Amino acid sequence: MDNIVDALSSAYKEFVAAAANVLEAKELSGAQKTAATDAALENFKQRWELFRVACDQAEEFVESVKQRIGSECLVDEATGSLAGKSGQAATTGLPPISAVRLEQMSKAVRWLVIELQHGGTGGSSAHAHPSVPFDARFPEDAGQ
């Protein structure tokens, strides 16, 4: 994370310096178009693009961290791990499930989404025999 912050900070400083160089070149040329102002503008354009890339990379990093935190929270809540943290009590009233079962359920949902995206009928091609409907429930769900 420090590398991303450093890269973004550096790109920003270079971008601001390039903007200052454009203003200085324009002032020295009396607001006339010269080779120096063109070079300063070109450098400014390059620094702007590099700054945008650094911003995009930082945004991608933030999004990946948000997804990771969300996944960890989901697993914690589903497995009941939150009940032991900081004296918090589980408020959902649902019995906890194992992390393995949660992962299996997640994979089942993912396969259904993929099947639906490919124009399937809800999973028939993902199974060995099309006459057997897909059942996402697990044996321990039978009593529910």
Side-chain angles (χ1 to χ4, degrees):
M1 185 168 111
D2 288 341
N3 291 341
I4 292 171
V5 171
D6 291 343
L8 185 58
S9 178
S10 175
Y12 175 74
K13 288 175 184 175
E14 291 175 6
F15 170 63
V16 170
N21 288 341
V22 168
L23 295 174
E24 186 179 327
K26 276 198 146 224
E27 186 177 320
L28 291 175
S29 71
Q32 299 298 315
K33 184 176 179 172
T34 65
T37 57
D38 286 348
L41 284 170
E42 183 60 32
N43 184 45
F44 174 76
K45 181 181 173 186
Q46 291 172 353
R47 297 302 170 197
W48 165 246
E49 289 300 321
L50 291 172
F51 178 61
R52 285 184 48 203
V53 167
C55 288
D56 290 345
Q57 290 172 341
E59 184 177 12
E60 288 172 8
F61 176 76
V62 168
E63 288 302 317
S64 71
V65 170
K66 282 172 44 179
Q67 288 177 354
R68 189 174 353 152
I69 290 170
S71 296
E72 289 171 3
C73 288
L74 177 64
V75 168
D76 285 349
E77 183 158 332
T79 60
S81 298
L82 286 179
K85 291 184 180 179
S86 311
Q88 296 175 342
T91 59
T92 62
L94 300 173
I97 60 175
S98 73
V100 172
R101 181 162 175 242
L102 180 63
E103 181 62 25
Q104 290 171 336
M105 291 168 51
S106 176
K107 285 181 182 176
V109 169
R110 246 182 274 134
W111 278 108
L112 286 172
V113 168
I114 290 169
E115 182 66 24
L116 290 172
Q117 287 173 340
H118 288 96
T121 59
S124 62
S125 66
H127 302 289
H129 198 280
S131 66
V132 178
F134 178 75
D135 188 357
R137 292 177 298 164
F138 291 85
E140 56 267 30
D141 290 337
Q144 296 177 358

